[in-house]
Amino acid sequence: MTVALAPAKPRKFPTLKWSNWYLTALKLAVGLLIVLLILLLWLLRQNEAEEQRSTLIADVLWLEQILSFRLDGNAEQLQQLALDLSNEKNGNALFRLRSQHLIKNSPELQQILWLDSSAHLLDSMPTQNLPRLGSGGLGDDKKADTKALTKPEPSADSPADMQVRAIELTSKMGKPVYTDVYQSSGSPQFEVFFPLFENGKFRGSLVGIYSLNALLKQLVPWWFTEKYQVRILDANGTVLASKSRVSEATTTFSYAVPFDPPGFGMAIQVTAYRSSGNIAQTLITGLIIALAAAVLVSLWIMRGHIQRRLAAEQALRSEYAFRKAMEDSLTVGMRARDLESRVTYTNPAFCQMVGFSAEELIGARPPMPYWAPEELENTRAIHQAVIDGKAPLEGFEIRLMRKDGSRFDALIYEAPLIDADGRHTGWMASIVDVTARKHVEEMARQQQEKLQLTSRLITMGEMASALAHELNQPLAAITSYNAGCLNKLESGHFTPGELKDALGKLGVQAQRAGSIIRRVHDFVRKSEPKLAPCDLAEVIDDSIGFIDAAARSLNVRIVRVIQGMRPELMADGVMIEQVLLNLMRNGIEAMSDTVPENRCLTIKLSQIDKHMEIRVVDRGPGILPEVQEKLFTPFFTTKAEGMGIGLNICRSIIEFHHGRLWVEDNPEGGTVFVFTLPITRP
């Protein structure tokens, strides 16, 4: 029987009848926004122009006040000088001293003249040639200084006419008179005349000559010319002097005030430069353009944005599935916690490690079900350190408990958990079960200790003959002293002093024998590595005491060199002694074929920075470079009956103490074994 399937209904989309008026309203809103922004920009420009004009007026008034203060101050000093000259019989020295001081402090004053009532030049400061009264001024040289004032022939506007009128006015009015500006050698300048009266009678004039260019140069600051162009105009608007740091800049605002004194219609005009642009206005203009463009293209971008978002969501789902599969395949446990220490995620490896299911662990808070009760305080302290952000980068080991109650050792690495917005949301931990590894390490440590003990026993076995001979000497001496004492006692002819001396020597030999036995016992007994304050010089002395008999049997001379300070360090003295004995015995055996006079073994102790360094130097045949590379390899030996573990054990002992052991060539022939030990343990 055939079953007819109903046709699929077409998917219905929501109607968009409102889109037309919505888009129209959007366009109107954008247009209104643009109009308002343009209006705002215009108002900002107007406000800026008004502020600039107000600033310009204030700066012009300030500059006019500065110029007036300087001219008034100079006028007061010149007036005072004129009064002093009127009362002084011989005023040349006074004139020169005061004029020099005034010109030095006011460089805009080009020259100060002292004229008598007939306008003869009595003195001037400085004496360089400047325009003077007469047809060309007041004369050109020292001879012209003594000539009387003559009526000038030039036009009414000549400098001579102005100077004559100024003398007449100041003699009649009895007060300072300024002249109009005139050009002298291309430089605009004006003069001020001060009358000199004696008993009410006109006796001459004091003349100050100003340069407009120097006046602007001295009194207009540099920052002023960075903003404005300063000009001094005459009554006709002709530029007499100016100062500016910009040559031909386009200007906007200008403001002028009268320049009085000296007056005569002169004015100070200050023009502001056109600003290079306002960052705020430029930014607003750019925002207007960007906003308009953004609104116009936003509708077109929206569709593409939605498509990209859907594609991103699909990619995210695929990525999540891939990451989930990868985490499920890991053998390293992973566990995430939030900022309140609640477990938020566990992977299957961690669940298998602790024996709890993910449902039992998610949401759990301290104390966790996998924390071992006997380690609760230590675990809580480590947990708090992680929460405080003090988790060690190299990880930390901790003992945990499985659901069945069994314990295991775990190595944990904690790292902050950061979300997509960069916020710290918790902690992610990677957990590795290191129980098997620690078991292997413990077995390796025990094997290493057994090898060290075996090496010490072998060393003692090889040195047994020398030690027996060394021990036989004090025992023989004890027997001899004992027999002597018995003979004295049996004879009855003795004094207490004789017996006391013999018994004292017997005791010394007994102590010597006991010391040898103690050193052998300490050296061969099995014990855990024990770090304690250790004096390397004493370790060297004990080692030499062990090896000295064997060295003498081979005619080897042992030299002990202790340089500088010898600070105590934390080390196992027996283990360091084992290293020294091994290296010293190798050095003594290496010199078996060396001529007797060169058989010297040097033990040198010194401090290098924060390490103590011991060098064992022999004068043997040396070691070939290819052999040096394999020298510390386990079971590698150059001896016929050697086991090849001695040097490897020595390096292990030194590395256990955080030091280094290496071999060098002796420049004088032979070999140097060097090892260093840190004074302060890391």
Side-chain angles (χ1 to χ4, degrees):
M1 181 177 64
T2 304
V3 179
L5 298 176
K9 295 183 179 180
R11 184 179 179 182
K12 293 184 178 180
F13 293 92
T15 59
L16 301 176
K17 294 181 180 179
W18 49 270
S19 61
N20 291 332
W21 69 262
Y22 173 76
L23 292 176
T24 301
L26 181 61
K27 293 177 182 178
L28 291 175
V30 172
L32 181 60
L33 177 62
I34 293 175
V35 171
L36 292 176
L37 289 175
I38 293 175
L39 179 61
L40 176 62
L41 182 61
W42 179 82
L43 291 174
L44 288 175
R45 287 184 178 275
Q46 291 296 112
N47 184 53
E48 182 187 8
E50 187 63 29
E51 289 182 358
Q52 187 177 7
R53 182 171 181 82
S54 300
T55 303
L56 171 64
I57 293 173
D59 290 342
V60 171
L61 295 176
W62 173 83
L63 179 61
E64 187 272 337
Q65 190 178 30
I66 291 296
L67 295 176
S68 297
F69 281 170
R70 177 57 71 88
L71 292 177
D72 291 343
N74 291 342
E76 290 178 2
Q77 296 186 58
L78 289 171
Q79 182 68 52
Q80 185 63 42
L81 178 58
L83 292 175
D84 294 342
L85 290 176
S86 299
N87 300 324
E88 186 73 23
K89 297 300 182 181
N90 185 11
N92 292 80
L94 176 64
F95 171 80
R96 287 181 174 275
L97 178 64
R98 298 272 289 277
S99 298
Q100 184 179 9
H101 175 74
L102 186 57
I103 291 174
K104 181 179 179 180
N105 293 331
S106 301
E108 65 274 6
L109 268 172
Q110 300 294 293
Q111 192 174 29
I112 300 176
L113 307 178
W114 182 11
L115 307 178
D116 62 9
S117 58
S118 300
H120 287 98
L121 181 62
L122 299 178
D123 205 345
S124 66
M125 283 295 294
T127 58
Q128 69 264 26
N129 293 334
L130 289 172
R132 300 170 183 172
L133 292 175
S135 58
L138 285 174
D140 300 327
D141 50 24
K142 197 68 179 176
K143 293 180 180 180
D145 294 344
T146 59
K147 294 182 179 180
L149 179 65
T150 59
K151 289 292 183 179
E153 295 298 333
S155 63
D157 295 330
S158 65
D161 288 337
M162 290 187 289
Q163 294 160 351
V164 170
R165 288 197 298 270
I167 292 175
E168 293 176 353
L169 287 175
T170 191
S171 63
K172 294 178 180 179
M173 299 174 61
K175 63 179 182 179
V177 174
Y178 285 85
T179 67
D180 201 351
V181 176
Y182 61 90
Q183 296 288 334
S184 175
S185 301
S187 175
Q189 60 187 37
F190 63 91
E191 301 173 357
V192 56
F193 287 76
F194 296 87
L196 278 74
F197 289 96
E198 183 179 357
N199 298 325
K201 185 176 181 180
F202 179 71
R203 292 300 185 183
S205 304
L206 190 66
V207 183
I209 303 176
Y210 284 94
S211 170
L212 284 180
N213 290 331
L215 188 67
L216 294 182
K217 179 180 179 181
Q218 295 298 323
L219 298 183
V220 179
W222 65 269
W223 60 265
F224 201 89
T225 56
E226 292 287 348
K227 298 168 56 178
Y228 306 111
Q229 181 186 54
V230 182
R231 297 187 295 180
I232 296 180
L233 309 178
D234 62 10
N236 299 323
T238 304
V239 178
L240 299 175
S242 66
K243 184 176 181 181
S244 171
R245 295 183 64 88
V246 181
S247 57
E248 295 293 337
T250 304
T251 57
T252 53
F253 303 110
S254 179
Y255 189 75
V257 294
F259 187 23
D260 189 13
F264 300 102
M266 285 196 297
I268 302 173
Q269 184 185 64
V270 177
T271 304
Y273 299 132
R274 185 184 302 276
S275 60
S276 58
N278 189 296
I279 296 178
Q281 295 177 1
T282 304
L283 180 61
I284 291 174
T285 303
L287 289 175
I288 292 173
I289 297 173
L291 181 61
V295 172
L296 292 176
V297 301
S298 60
L299 295 177
W300 297 98
I301 294 176
M302 187 62 67
R303 180 173 177 271
H305 175 71
I306 293 175
Q307 290 179 343
R308 288 192 297 271
R309 181 174 179 179
L310 292 175
E313 290 178 354
Q314 180 61 32
L316 182 61
R317 286 193 292 269
S318 301
E319 183 68 22
Y320 174 77
F322 176 79
R323 184 180 64 84
K324 187 69 170 62
M326 181 178 63
E327 292 175 358
D328 291 345
S329 66
L330 290 176
T331 58
V332 176
M334 299 185 69
R335 176 208 61 200
R337 293 180 295 175
D338 60 16
L339 295 177
E340 297 180 358
S341 300
R342 286 191 298 264
V343 177
T344 57
Y345 167 78
T346 59
N347 71 337
F350 181 69
C351 294
Q352 184 178 2
M353 192 179 298
V354 298
F356 292 94
S357 64
E359 291 75 15
E360 293 175 303
L361 295 177
I362 299 298
R365 304 183 66 171
M368 301 299 181
Y370 47 82
W371 285 5
E374 67 274 11
E375 297 285 340
L376 188 60
E377 293 185 4
N378 181 41
T379 306
R380 191 181 295 275
I382 295 175
H383 165 79
Q384 188 60 42
V386 172
I387 296 301
D388 295 339
K390 299 178 181 178
L393 298 178
E394 66 276 9
F396 56 89
E397 289 189 8
I398 193 171
R399 180 169 288 267
L400 300 178
M401 180 180 66
R402 297 186 179 93
K403 188 175 182 179
D404 59 5
S406 60
R407 270 61 169 171
F408 68 97
D409 295 314
L411 177 61
I412 301 178
Y413 298 91
E414 293 274 4
L417 194 59
I418 308 300
D419 65 7
D421 297 327
R423 293 175 300 185
H424 181 201
T425 60
W427 300 90
M428 174 63 74
S430 299
I431 300 136
V432 182
D433 187 347
V434 295
T435 305
R437 190 194 74 184
K438 293 191 69 175
H439 179 67
V440 172
E441 290 177 352
E442 178 62 22
M443 291 184 63
R445 187 188 64 80
Q446 294 176 3
Q447 291 294 332
Q448 185 71 18
E449 290 182 3
K450 291 179 181 179
L451 281 174
Q452 291 179 16
L453 180 60
T454 301
S455 177
R456 291 202 293 270
L457 292 174
I458 292 173
T459 301
M460 285 295 101
E462 293 175 348
M463 298 174 59
S465 177
L467 288 173
H469 176 73
E470 189 75 9
L471 188 60
N472 186 55
Q473 290 180 355
L475 292 177
I478 290 172
T479 302
S480 176
Y481 287 131
N482 182 63
C485 289
L486 291 175
N487 292 334
K488 287 286 185 180
L489 289 173
E490 290 176 357
S491 65
H493 301 290
F494 64 90
T495 63
E498 292 175 342
L499 289 179
K500 183 178 180 181
D501 182 59
L503 291 174
K505 293 180 179 179
L506 188 148
V508 170
Q509 296 299 323
Q511 290 179 358
R512 179 182 174 190
S515 175
I516 295 172
I517 295 172
R518 176 186 55 78
R519 288 206 305 264
V520 173
H521 177 265
D522 290 342
F523 187 74
V524 300
R525 67 189 175 94
K526 181 180 180 181
S527 62
E528 296 290 332
K530 182 179 179 181
L531 299 179
C534 179
D535 187 347
L536 291 182
E538 295 180 359
V539 174
I540 292 174
D541 290 340
D542 290 342
S543 301
I544 293 175
F546 266 127
I547 205 75
D548 189 52
R552 287 198 306 269
S553 66
L554 294 176
N555 295 322
V556 175
R557 180 167 48 92
I558 298 179
V559 178
R560 171 182 175 274
V561 180
I562 307 296
Q563 294 183 341
M565 300 294 293
R566 54 185 204 196
E568 288 188 341
L569 47 81
M570 299 298 292
D572 188 316
V574 174
M575 297 178 73
I576 302 302
E577 188 176 337
Q578 180 180 354
V579 174
L580 274 173
L581 279 175
N582 200 320
L583 298 179
M584 293 166 65
R585 186 163 53 86
N586 288 344
I588 292 172
E589 294 175 355
M591 292 187 287
S592 59
D593 296 331
T594 304
V595 294
E597 58 269 18
N598 290 338
R599 294 180 185 177
C600 178
L601 184 70
T602 303
I603 315 299
K604 183 178 179 182
L605 173 64
S606 59
Q607 181 175 350
I608 307 296
D609 295 332
K610 297 182 179 180
H611 292 76
M612 297 301 294
E613 180 185 84
I614 297 180
R615 305 176 75 88
V616 181
V617 185
D618 66 56
R619 299 291 299 277
I623 303 175
L624 297 176
E626 56 270 19
V627 176
Q628 289 185 11
E629 297 177 358
K630 305 176 183 178
L631 206 57
F632 298 98
T633 305
F635 306 109
F636 174 81
T637 181
T638 57
K639 301 178 183 178
E641 299 178 356
M643 296 181 60
I645 62 173
L647 289 177
N648 179 259
I649 291 175
C650 289
R651 173 168 279 185
S652 299
I653 291 173
I654 297 303
E655 290 178 350
F656 169 77
H657 287 81
H658 300 278
R660 292 179 57 237
L661 170 63
W662 70 93
V663 63
E664 298 176 355
D665 292 328
N666 186 0
E668 299 178 357
T671 307
V672 182
F673 281 89
V674 188
F675 66 89
T676 60
L677 297 172
I679 297 175
T680 303
R681 288 183 60 83

